[in-house]
Amino acid sequence: MSFDKAAIGATVLELEKAFNERWSAGDNRGYLDNYAEEISYFDPILKDVIVGRDQVIAHIEALYSNPQIVRSEYLHPVVHVGDGGDFAVLAYNLNTYVLDDGGTERQLRAWNATEAYRLIDGEWRIVHSNWAFAQTATEAVAS
């Protein structure tokens, strides 16, 4: 089987950006509609992993409000494509910005994001999602 790892990486990154831009504009369905049935999801506000599309969607919809993000920075994206060409892991840093009450742009969040995509029935679907705040520890620790 022949496939182009660079093209797969570009496809996965563009999908992720499209889902996130929809989220930023107030439409969370880009991500939610893409999640595979068996998705596992780590949220920075929860201790345990959530497993299953319905459970993940219920969790996100219970918390979601339109963030009105005006700009996103996708920093240091890395995509690892499996040897079979049907699995890819995307990792990147995401900075999001909103407008304050005076109309000045300010950073809302800095994230570390990891998304595992699998090709299912010809579509790249997210099978694992991990969102973490970029800075949570106050000192460097290994464990």
Side-chain angles (χ1 to χ4, degrees), residues 53-74:
R53 185 174 186 272
D54 291 343
Q55 291 81 0
V56 171
I57 288 173
H59 168 72
I60 291 172
E61 286 187 334
L63 298 175
Y64 180 79
S65 63
N66 184 349
Q68 300 179 358
I69 295 169
V70 296
R71 184 169 63 90
S72 296
E73 294 175 328
Y74 302 88

Side-chain angles (χ1 to χ4, degrees), residues 32-105:
L32 303 186
D33 291 344
N34 180 269
Y35 289 154
E37 289 298 322
E38 70 275 15
I39 187 171
S40 52
Y41 182 89
F42 277 113
D43 190 298
I45 66 167
L46 297 176
K47 179 180 176 186
D48 297 324
V49 65
I50 303 171
V51 178
R53 185 174 186 272
D54 291 343
Q55 291 81 0
V56 171
I57 288 173
H59 168 72
I60 291 172
E61 286 187 334
L63 298 175
Y64 180 79
S65 63
N66 184 349
Q68 300 179 358
I69 295 169
V70 296
R71 184 169 63 90
S72 296
E73 294 175 328
Y74 302 88
L75 306 172
H76 317 294
V78 177
V79 181
H80 299 280
V81 178
D83 291 340
D86 62 350
F87 192 81
V89 176
L90 166 65
Y92 65 102
N93 305 106
L94 175 69
N95 292 335
T96 58
Y97 297 86
V98 295
L99 298 179
D100 66 17
D101 292 339
T104 302
E105 187 177 278

